PDB file of all heavy atoms in Angstrom:
ATOM      1  N   ASN A   1      15.441 -20.049   6.316  1.00 92.00           N
ATOM      2  CA  ASN A   1      15.770 -19.509   5.012  1.00 92.00           C
ATOM      3  C   ASN A   1      16.380 -18.053   5.227  1.00 92.00           C
ATOM      4  O   ASN A   1      17.266 -17.583   4.474  1.00 92.00           O
ATOM      5  CB  ASN A   1      14.608 -19.429   4.071  1.00 92.00           C
ATOM      6  CG  ASN A   1      14.033 -20.757   3.783  1.00 92.00           C
ATOM      7  OD1 ASN A   1      13.132 -21.242   4.457  1.00 92.00           O
ATOM      8  ND2 ASN A   1      14.588 -21.560   2.857  1.00 92.00           N
ATOM      9  N   TYR A   2      15.858 -17.315   6.168  1.00 94.00           N
ATOM     10  CA  TYR A   2      16.291 -15.981   6.487  1.00 94.00           C
ATOM     11  C   TYR A   2      16.408 -15.849   8.035  1.00 94.00           C
ATOM     12  O   TYR A   2      15.651 -16.360   8.719  1.00 94.00           O
ATOM     13  CB  TYR A   2      15.203 -14.962   5.849  1.00 94.00           C
ATOM     14  CG  TYR A   2      14.924 -15.131   4.405  1.00 94.00           C
ATOM     15  CD1 TYR A   2      13.873 -15.777   3.905  1.00 94.00           C
ATOM     16  CD2 TYR A   2      15.908 -14.549   3.600  1.00 94.00           C
ATOM     17  CE1 TYR A   2      13.669 -15.935   2.529  1.00 94.00           C
ATOM     18  CE2 TYR A   2      15.681 -14.738   2.143  1.00 94.00           C
ATOM     19  CZ  TYR A   2      14.664 -15.358   1.610  1.00 94.00           C
ATOM     20  OH  TYR A   2      14.430 -15.479   0.373  1.00 94.00           O
ATOM     21  N   VAL A   3      17.285 -14.951   8.296  1.00 95.00           N
ATOM     22  CA  VAL A   3      17.564 -14.634   9.774  1.00 95.00           C
ATOM     23  C   VAL A   3      17.373 -13.210  10.000  1.00 95.00           C
ATOM     24  O   VAL A   3      18.052 -12.311   9.234  1.00 95.00           O
ATOM     25  CB  VAL A   3      18.981 -15.181  10.258  1.00 95.00           C
ATOM     26  CG1 VAL A   3      19.192 -14.585  11.651  1.00 95.00           C
ATOM     27  CG2 VAL A   3      18.993 -16.462  10.054  1.00 95.00           C
ATOM     28  N   VAL A   4      16.465 -12.749  10.824  1.00 95.00           N
ATOM     29  CA  VAL A   4      16.302 -11.330  11.120  1.00 95.00           C
ATOM     30  C   VAL A   4      16.540 -11.085  12.610  1.00 95.00           C
ATOM     31  O   VAL A   4      16.014 -11.765  13.529  1.00 95.00           O
ATOM     32  CB  VAL A   4      14.702 -10.977  10.852  1.00 95.00           C
ATOM     33  CG1 VAL A   4      14.456  -9.571  11.154  1.00 95.00           C
ATOM     34  CG2 VAL A   4      14.286 -11.297   9.354  1.00 95.00           C
ATOM     35  N   ALA A   5      17.312 -10.181  12.877  1.00 94.00           N
ATOM     36  CA  ALA A   5      17.760  -9.814  14.306  1.00 94.00           C
ATOM     37  C   ALA A   5      16.940  -8.626  14.568  1.00 94.00           C
ATOM     38  O   ALA A   5      16.988  -7.472  13.970  1.00 94.00           O
ATOM     39  CB  ALA A   5      19.197  -9.467  14.277  1.00 94.00           C
ATOM     40  N   LEU A   6      16.253  -8.695  15.835  1.00 95.00           N
ATOM     41  CA  LEU A   6      15.468  -7.491  16.303  1.00 95.00           C
ATOM     42  C   LEU A   6      16.384  -6.977  17.376  1.00 95.00           C
ATOM     43  O   LEU A   6      16.633  -7.593  18.549  1.00 95.00           O
ATOM     44  CB  LEU A   6      14.256  -8.022  16.796  1.00 95.00           C
ATOM     45  CG  LEU A   6      13.211  -8.753  15.993  1.00 95.00           C
ATOM     46  CD1 LEU A   6      11.969  -9.269  16.580  1.00 95.00           C
ATOM     47  CD2 LEU A   6      13.048  -8.003  14.618  1.00 95.00           C
ATOM     48  N   SER A   7      17.022  -5.931  17.137  1.00 93.00           N
ATOM     49  CA  SER A   7      18.147  -5.409  18.044  1.00 93.00           C
ATOM     50  C   SER A   7      17.715  -4.084  18.688  1.00 93.00           C
ATOM     51  O   SER A   7      17.016  -3.295  18.036  1.00 93.00           O
ATOM     52  CB  SER A   7      19.402  -5.229  17.271  1.00 93.00           C
ATOM     53  OG  SER A   7      19.373  -4.207  16.281  1.00 93.00           O
ATOM     54  N   HIS A   8      18.298  -3.735  19.815  1.00 93.00           N
ATOM     55  CA  HIS A   8      18.235  -2.502  20.435  1.00 93.00           C
ATOM     56  C   HIS A   8      19.562  -1.938  20.679  1.00 93.00           C
ATOM     57  O   HIS A   8      19.959  -1.685  21.792  1.00 93.00           O
ATOM     58  CB  HIS A   8      17.389  -2.499  21.721  1.00 93.00           C
ATOM     59  CG  HIS A   8      16.817  -1.253  22.248  1.00 93.00           C
ATOM     60  ND1 HIS A   8      15.601  -0.864  22.162  1.00 93.00           N
ATOM     61  CD2 HIS A   8      17.470  -0.220  22.989  1.00 93.00           C
ATOM     62  CE1 HIS A   8      15.327   0.284  22.687  1.00 93.00           C
ATOM     63  NE2 HIS A   8      16.499   0.659  23.112  1.00 93.00           N
ATOM     64  N   LEU A   9      20.338  -1.863  19.679  1.00 92.00           N
ATOM     65  CA  LEU A   9      21.795  -1.533  19.714  1.00 92.00           C
ATOM     66  C   LEU A   9      22.047  -0.051  19.318  1.00 92.00           C
ATOM     67  O   LEU A   9      22.817   0.681  20.040  1.00 92.00           O
ATOM     68  CB  LEU A   9      22.497  -2.484  18.902  1.00 92.00           C
ATOM     69  CG  LEU A   9      22.539  -4.010  19.180  1.00 92.00           C
ATOM     70  CD1 LEU A   9      23.005  -4.732  18.175  1.00 92.00           C
ATOM     71  CD2 LEU A   9      23.255  -4.139  20.533  1.00 92.00           C
ATOM     72  N   GLY A  10      21.621   0.341  18.245  1.00 92.00           N
ATOM     73  CA  GLY A  10      21.714   1.758  17.837  1.00 92.00           C
ATOM     74  C   GLY A  10      22.604   1.961  16.643  1.00 92.00           C
ATOM     75  O   GLY A  10      23.529   1.013  16.366  1.00 92.00           O
ATOM     76  N   ASP A  11      22.518   3.002  15.937  1.00 92.00           N
ATOM     77  CA  ASP A  11      23.297   3.300  14.730  1.00 92.00           C
ATOM     78  C   ASP A  11      24.472   4.291  15.033  1.00 92.00           C
ATOM     79  O   ASP A  11      24.144   5.503  15.146  1.00 92.00           O
ATOM     80  CB  ASP A  11      22.243   3.949  13.720  1.00 92.00           C
ATOM     81  CG  ASP A  11      22.993   4.274  12.456  1.00 92.00           C
ATOM     82  OD1 ASP A  11      23.676   3.375  11.945  1.00 92.00           O
ATOM     83  OD2 ASP A  11      22.958   5.458  11.933  1.00 92.00           O
ATOM     84  N   TYR A  12      25.511   3.740  15.351  1.00 88.00           N
ATOM     85  CA  TYR A  12      26.786   4.355  15.885  1.00 88.00           C
ATOM     86  C   TYR A  12      27.755   4.353  14.803  1.00 88.00           C
ATOM     87  O   TYR A  12      28.073   3.306  14.213  1.00 88.00           O
ATOM     88  CB  TYR A  12      27.195   3.936  17.223  1.00 88.00           C
ATOM     89  CG  TYR A  12      26.356   4.178  18.396  1.00 88.00           C
ATOM     90  CD1 TYR A  12      25.451   3.323  18.809  1.00 88.00           C
ATOM     91  CD2 TYR A  12      26.333   5.450  19.015  1.00 88.00           C
ATOM     92  CE1 TYR A  12      24.583   3.547  20.011  1.00 88.00           C
ATOM     93  CE2 TYR A  12      25.482   5.748  20.007  1.00 88.00           C
ATOM     94  CZ  TYR A  12      24.561   4.823  20.516  1.00 88.00           C
ATOM     95  OH  TYR A  12      23.766   5.036  21.511  1.00 88.00           O
ATOM     96  N   LEU A  13      28.726   5.449  14.696  1.00 84.00           N
ATOM     97  CA  LEU A  13      29.781   5.507  13.904  1.00 84.00           C
ATOM     98  C   LEU A  13      30.994   4.737  14.465  1.00 84.00           C
ATOM     99  O   LEU A  13      30.990   4.562  15.646  1.00 84.00           O
ATOM    100  CB  LEU A  13      30.130   6.860  13.510  1.00 84.00           C
ATOM    101  CG  LEU A  13      29.001   7.859  12.784  1.00 84.00           C
ATOM    102  CD1 LEU A  13      29.509   9.215  12.779  1.00 84.00           C
ATOM    103  CD2 LEU A  13      28.814   7.286  11.431  1.00 84.00           C
ATOM    104  N   ASP A  14      31.937   4.527  13.643  1.00 84.00           N
ATOM    105  CA  ASP A  14      33.011   3.658  14.115  1.00 84.00           C
ATOM    106  C   ASP A  14      33.866   4.556  15.094  1.00 84.00           C
ATOM    107  O   ASP A  14      34.847   4.063  15.770  1.00 84.00           O
ATOM    108  CB  ASP A  14      33.901   3.137  13.055  1.00 84.00           C
ATOM    109  CG  ASP A  14      34.479   4.112  11.997  1.00 84.00           C
ATOM    110  OD1 ASP A  14      34.133   5.333  12.319  1.00 84.00           O
ATOM    111  OD2 ASP A  14      34.985   3.729  11.064  1.00 84.00           O
ATOM    112  N   THR A  15      33.753   5.900  15.106  1.00 79.00           N
ATOM    113  CA  THR A  15      34.418   6.846  15.952  1.00 79.00           C
ATOM    114  C   THR A  15      33.791   6.799  17.284  1.00 79.00           C
ATOM    115  O   THR A  15      34.300   7.417  18.191  1.00 79.00           O
ATOM    116  CB  THR A  15      34.496   8.200  15.304  1.00 79.00           C
ATOM    117  OG1 THR A  15      33.152   8.657  14.985  1.00 79.00           O
ATOM    118  CG2 THR A  15      35.450   8.240  14.068  1.00 79.00           C
ATOM    119  N   ASP A  16      32.580   6.346  17.550  1.00 79.00           N
ATOM    120  CA  ASP A  16      31.879   6.498  18.712  1.00 79.00           C
ATOM    121  C   ASP A  16      32.240   5.269  19.641  1.00 79.00           C
ATOM    122  O   ASP A  16      32.612   4.138  19.201  1.00 79.00           O
ATOM    123  CB  ASP A  16      30.275   6.430  18.530  1.00 79.00           C
ATOM    124  CG  ASP A  16      29.588   6.901  19.770  1.00 79.00           C
ATOM    125  OD1 ASP A  16      29.406   6.184  20.671  1.00 79.00           O
ATOM    126  OD2 ASP A  16      29.345   8.102  19.724  1.00 79.00           O
ATOM    127  N   SER A  17      32.231   5.551  20.984  1.00 74.00           N
ATOM    128  CA  SER A  17      32.684   4.549  21.977  1.00 74.00           C
ATOM    129  C   SER A  17      31.605   3.416  22.013  1.00 74.00           C
ATOM    130  O   SER A  17      32.068   2.268  22.388  1.00 74.00           O
ATOM    131  CB  SER A  17      32.761   5.193  23.401  1.00 74.00           C
ATOM    132  OG  SER A  17      31.605   5.704  23.799  1.00 74.00           O
ATOM    133  N   TYR A  18      30.486   3.537  21.550  1.00 80.00           N
ATOM    134  CA  TYR A  18      29.422   2.434  21.566  1.00 80.00           C
ATOM    135  C   TYR A  18      29.347   1.778  20.239  1.00 80.00           C
ATOM    136  O   TYR A  18      28.577   0.812  20.126  1.00 80.00           O
ATOM    137  CB  TYR A  18      28.024   3.135  21.789  1.00 80.00           C
ATOM    138  CG  TYR A  18      27.972   3.549  23.287  1.00 80.00           C
ATOM    139  CD1 TYR A  18      27.920   4.898  23.523  1.00 80.00           C
ATOM    140  CD2 TYR A  18      27.871   2.582  24.279  1.00 80.00           C
ATOM    141  CE1 TYR A  18      27.817   5.287  24.881  1.00 80.00           C
ATOM    142  CE2 TYR A  18      27.763   2.994  25.581  1.00 80.00           C
ATOM    143  CZ  TYR A  18      27.731   4.430  25.897  1.00 80.00           C
ATOM    144  OH  TYR A  18      27.624   4.714  27.224  1.00 80.00           O
ATOM    145  N   TYR A  19      30.342   2.083  19.381  1.00 87.00           N
ATOM    146  CA  TYR A  19      30.312   1.427  18.006  1.00 87.00           C
ATOM    147  C   TYR A  19      30.326  -0.112  17.981  1.00 87.00           C
ATOM    148  O   TYR A  19      29.684  -0.679  17.365  1.00 87.00           O
ATOM    149  CB  TYR A  19      31.358   1.929  17.110  1.00 87.00           C
ATOM    150  CG  TYR A  19      31.629   1.113  15.761  1.00 87.00           C
ATOM    151  CD1 TYR A  19      30.716   1.259  14.859  1.00 87.00           C
ATOM    152  CD2 TYR A  19      32.719   0.399  15.646  1.00 87.00           C
ATOM    153  CE1 TYR A  19      30.834   0.554  13.652  1.00 87.00           C
ATOM    154  CE2 TYR A  19      32.903  -0.308  14.365  1.00 87.00           C
ATOM    155  CZ  TYR A  19      31.873  -0.130  13.559  1.00 87.00           C
ATOM    156  OH  TYR A  19      32.103  -0.812  12.271  1.00 87.00           O
ATOM    157  N   LYS A  20      31.115  -0.601  18.933  1.00 87.00           N
ATOM    158  CA  LYS A  20      31.413  -1.982  19.073  1.00 87.00           C
ATOM    159  C   LYS A  20      30.170  -2.810  19.582  1.00 87.00           C
ATOM    160  O   LYS A  20      29.914  -3.979  19.476  1.00 87.00           O
ATOM    161  CB  LYS A  20      32.449  -2.436  19.892  1.00 87.00           C
ATOM    162  CG  LYS A  20      33.743  -2.017  19.359  1.00 87.00           C
ATOM    163  CD  LYS A  20      34.955  -2.531  20.251  1.00 87.00           C
ATOM    164  CE  LYS A  20      36.322  -2.277  19.446  1.00 87.00           C
ATOM    165  NZ  LYS A  20      37.482  -2.634  20.322  1.00 87.00           N
ATOM    166  N   TYR A  21      29.139  -2.006  20.043  1.00 87.00           N
ATOM    167  CA  TYR A  21      27.835  -2.550  20.444  1.00 87.00           C
ATOM    168  C   TYR A  21      26.720  -1.932  19.709  1.00 87.00           C
ATOM    169  O   TYR A  21      25.524  -1.866  20.021  1.00 87.00           O
ATOM    170  CB  TYR A  21      27.630  -2.326  21.999  1.00 87.00           C
ATOM    171  CG  TYR A  21      28.610  -2.945  22.856  1.00 87.00           C
ATOM    172  CD1 TYR A  21      29.753  -2.324  23.268  1.00 87.00           C
ATOM    173  CD2 TYR A  21      28.533  -4.238  23.090  1.00 87.00           C
ATOM    174  CE1 TYR A  21      30.777  -2.901  23.871  1.00 87.00           C
ATOM    175  CE2 TYR A  21      29.482  -4.988  23.988  1.00 87.00           C
ATOM    176  CZ  TYR A  21      30.602  -4.260  24.297  1.00 87.00           C
ATOM    177  OH  TYR A  21      31.579  -4.744  25.054  1.00 87.00           O
ATOM    178  N   SER A  22      26.988  -1.704  18.281  1.00 91.00           N
ATOM    179  CA  SER A  22      26.082  -1.151  17.412  1.00 91.00           C
ATOM    180  C   SER A  22      25.576  -2.091  16.508  1.00 91.00           C
ATOM    181  O   SER A  22      26.112  -3.164  16.228  1.00 91.00           O
ATOM    182  CB  SER A  22      26.701   0.123  16.606  1.00 91.00           C
ATOM    183  OG  SER A  22      27.573  -0.447  15.705  1.00 91.00           O
ATOM    184  N   SER A  23      24.341  -1.760  15.858  1.00 94.00           N
ATOM    185  CA  SER A  23      23.890  -2.800  14.830  1.00 94.00           C
ATOM    186  C   SER A  23      24.873  -2.827  13.673  1.00 94.00           C
ATOM    187  O   SER A  23      24.879  -3.814  12.963  1.00 94.00           O
ATOM    188  CB  SER A  23      22.496  -2.297  14.263  1.00 94.00           C
ATOM    189  OG  SER A  23      22.607  -0.917  13.822  1.00 94.00           O
ATOM    190  N   ASN A  24      25.616  -1.657  13.292  1.00 94.00           N
ATOM    191  CA  ASN A  24      26.520  -1.660  12.308  1.00 94.00           C
ATOM    192  C   ASN A  24      27.712  -2.714  12.545  1.00 94.00           C
ATOM    193  O   ASN A  24      28.045  -3.486  11.596  1.00 94.00           O
ATOM    194  CB  ASN A  24      27.234  -0.205  12.065  1.00 94.00           C
ATOM    195  CG  ASN A  24      26.109   0.739  11.663  1.00 94.00           C
ATOM    196  OD1 ASN A  24      25.376   0.537  10.807  1.00 94.00           O
ATOM    197  ND2 ASN A  24      26.022   1.872  12.411  1.00 94.00           N
ATOM    198  N   TYR A  25      28.297  -2.707  13.634  1.00 94.00           N
ATOM    199  CA  TYR A  25      29.308  -3.669  14.151  1.00 94.00           C
ATOM    200  C   TYR A  25      28.737  -5.020  14.048  1.00 94.00           C
ATOM    201  O   TYR A  25      29.446  -5.970  13.654  1.00 94.00           O
ATOM    202  CB  TYR A  25      29.768  -3.214  15.548  1.00 94.00           C
ATOM    203  CG  TYR A  25      31.052  -4.030  16.045  1.00 94.00           C
ATOM    204  CD1 TYR A  25      32.247  -3.407  15.666  1.00 94.00           C
ATOM    205  CD2 TYR A  25      30.888  -5.139  16.738  1.00 94.00           C
ATOM    206  CE1 TYR A  25      33.343  -4.061  16.124  1.00 94.00           C
ATOM    207  CE2 TYR A  25      31.994  -5.702  17.129  1.00 94.00           C
ATOM    208  CZ  TYR A  25      33.321  -5.234  16.824  1.00 94.00           C
ATOM    209  OH  TYR A  25      34.384  -5.912  17.175  1.00 94.00           O
ATOM    210  N   LEU A  26      27.431  -5.239  14.502  1.00 95.00           N
ATOM    211  CA  LEU A  26      26.973  -6.601  14.684  1.00 95.00           C
ATOM    212  C   LEU A  26      26.892  -7.194  13.132  1.00 95.00           C
ATOM    213  O   LEU A  26      27.194  -8.356  12.926  1.00 95.00           O
ATOM    214  CB  LEU A  26      25.580  -6.617  15.189  1.00 95.00           C
ATOM    215  CG  LEU A  26      24.728  -7.828  15.051  1.00 95.00           C
ATOM    216  CD1 LEU A  26      25.255  -8.962  15.829  1.00 95.00           C
ATOM    217  CD2 LEU A  26      23.296  -7.591  15.603  1.00 95.00           C
ATOM    218  N   ALA A  27      26.438  -6.331  12.203  1.00 96.00           N
ATOM    219  CA  ALA A  27      26.311  -6.745  10.798  1.00 96.00           C
ATOM    220  C   ALA A  27      27.692  -7.110  10.286  1.00 96.00           C
ATOM    221  O   ALA A  27      27.910  -8.082   9.541  1.00 96.00           O
ATOM    222  CB  ALA A  27      25.616  -5.780   9.971  1.00 96.00           C
ATOM    223  N   LYS A  28      28.740  -6.148  10.519  1.00 96.00           N
ATOM    224  CA  LYS A  28      29.966  -6.384   9.964  1.00 96.00           C
ATOM    225  C   LYS A  28      30.760  -7.584  10.463  1.00 96.00           C
ATOM    226  O   LYS A  28      31.515  -8.164   9.628  1.00 96.00           O
ATOM    227  CB  LYS A  28      30.766  -5.080  10.254  1.00 96.00           C
ATOM    228  CG  LYS A  28      32.191  -4.941   9.561  1.00 96.00           C
ATOM    229  CD  LYS A  28      32.823  -3.780   9.830  1.00 96.00           C
ATOM    230  CE  LYS A  28      34.146  -3.565   9.212  1.00 96.00           C
ATOM    231  NZ  LYS A  28      34.839  -2.302   9.353  1.00 96.00           N
ATOM    232  N   PHE A  29      30.482  -8.062  11.652  1.00 96.00           N
ATOM    233  CA  PHE A  29      31.434  -9.022  12.230  1.00 96.00           C
ATOM    234  C   PHE A  29      30.662 -10.334  12.434  1.00 96.00           C
ATOM    235  O   PHE A  29      31.190 -11.077  13.210  1.00 96.00           O
ATOM    236  CB  PHE A  29      32.123  -8.504  13.531  1.00 96.00           C
ATOM    237  CG  PHE A  29      33.188  -7.393  13.204  1.00 96.00           C
ATOM    238  CD1 PHE A  29      32.782  -6.006  13.282  1.00 96.00           C
ATOM    239  CD2 PHE A  29      34.428  -7.687  12.844  1.00 96.00           C
ATOM    240  CE1 PHE A  29      33.698  -5.079  13.119  1.00 96.00           C
ATOM    241  CE2 PHE A  29      35.343  -6.766  12.527  1.00 96.00           C
ATOM    242  CZ  PHE A  29      35.019  -5.367  12.578  1.00 96.00           C
ATOM    243  N   THR A  30      29.559 -10.545  11.817  1.00 96.00           N
ATOM    244  CA  THR A  30      28.922 -11.841  11.901  1.00 96.00           C
ATOM    245  C   THR A  30      28.659 -12.297  10.529  1.00 96.00           C
ATOM    246  O   THR A  30      28.809 -11.633   9.461  1.00 96.00           O
ATOM    247  CB  THR A  30      27.581 -11.794  12.578  1.00 96.00           C
ATOM    248  OG1 THR A  30      26.798 -10.808  12.130  1.00 96.00           O
ATOM    249  CG2 THR A  30      27.776 -11.332  14.148  1.00 96.00           C
ATOM    250  N   THR A  31      28.114 -13.598  10.306  1.00 97.00           N
ATOM    251  CA  THR A  31      27.587 -13.988   9.102  1.00 97.00           C
ATOM    252  C   THR A  31      26.287 -14.696   9.249  1.00 97.00           C
ATOM    253  O   THR A  31      26.072 -15.102  10.466  1.00 97.00           O
ATOM    254  CB  THR A  31      28.580 -15.101   8.422  1.00 97.00           C
ATOM    255  OG1 THR A  31      28.725 -16.265   9.372  1.00 97.00           O
ATOM    256  CG2 THR A  31      29.945 -14.558   8.371  1.00 97.00           C
ATOM    257  N   GLY A  32      25.509 -14.665   8.147  1.00 96.00           N
ATOM    258  CA  GLY A  32      24.272 -15.302   8.198  1.00 96.00           C
ATOM    259  C   GLY A  32      23.077 -14.362   8.517  1.00 96.00           C
ATOM    260  O   GLY A  32      21.878 -14.982   8.361  1.00 96.00           O
ATOM    261  N   ILE A  33      23.282 -13.300   9.006  1.00 97.00           N
ATOM    262  CA  ILE A  33      22.085 -12.484   9.295  1.00 97.00           C
ATOM    263  C   ILE A  33      21.761 -11.683   8.105  1.00 97.00           C
ATOM    264  O   ILE A  33      22.599 -11.122   7.340  1.00 97.00           O
ATOM    265  CB  ILE A  33      22.465 -11.377  10.460  1.00 97.00           C
ATOM    266  CG1 ILE A  33      22.799 -12.120  11.761  1.00 97.00           C
ATOM    267  CG2 ILE A  33      21.260 -10.486  10.694  1.00 97.00           C
ATOM    268  CD1 ILE A  33      23.053 -11.184  12.754  1.00 97.00           C
ATOM    269  N   ASP A  34      20.427 -11.780   7.713  1.00 97.00           N
ATOM    270  CA  ASP A  34      19.924 -11.151   6.490  1.00 97.00           C
ATOM    271  C   ASP A  34      19.456  -9.632   6.774  1.00 97.00           C
ATOM    272  O   ASP A  34      19.750  -8.809   6.075  1.00 97.00           O
ATOM    273  CB  ASP A  34      18.900 -11.874   5.881  1.00 97.00           C
ATOM    274  CG  ASP A  34      19.272 -13.164   5.408  1.00 97.00           C
ATOM    275  OD1 ASP A  34      19.906 -13.306   4.341  1.00 97.00           O
ATOM    276  OD2 ASP A  34      18.991 -14.301   6.048  1.00 97.00           O
ATOM    277  N   ILE A  35      18.788  -9.499   7.850  1.00 97.00           N
ATOM    278  CA  ILE A  35      18.056  -8.194   8.203  1.00 97.00           C
ATOM    279  C   ILE A  35      18.305  -7.886   9.625  1.00 97.00           C
ATOM    280  O   ILE A  35      18.172  -8.730  10.544  1.00 97.00           O
ATOM    281  CB  ILE A  35      16.578  -8.094   7.862  1.00 97.00           C
ATOM    282  CG1 ILE A  35      16.421  -8.374   6.361  1.00 97.00           C
ATOM    283  CG2 ILE A  35      16.035  -6.821   8.397  1.00 97.00           C
ATOM    284  CD1 ILE A  35      14.988  -8.658   5.945  1.00 97.00           C
TER     285      ILE A  35
END
C-alpha cells in the first residue's frame, strides 16, 4: 500500500554536483515512492 525508501543520499540542491544522487533527485525522477 505504501513504499518507504530508507536512503543515505543527502539533501542536495540542483546546483550541486551530487544532486543526481540526492533524495530530491530520487523523488523527482521515480514514481510510486511515498516517503
Side-chain angles (χ1 to χ4, degrees):
N1 300 91
Y2 302 98
V3 177
V4 180
L6 309 180
S7 68
H8 197 100
L9 296 169
D11 181 49
Y12 289 100
L13 300 172
D14 57 7
T15 53
D16 194 279
S17 64
Y18 289 107
Y19 172 66
K20 291 184 178 180
Y21 297 94
S22 70
S23 54
N24 299 306
Y25 190 89
L26 172 62
K28 184 176 180 180
F29 290 97
T30 56
T31 62
I33 298 175
D34 297 286
I35 298 169

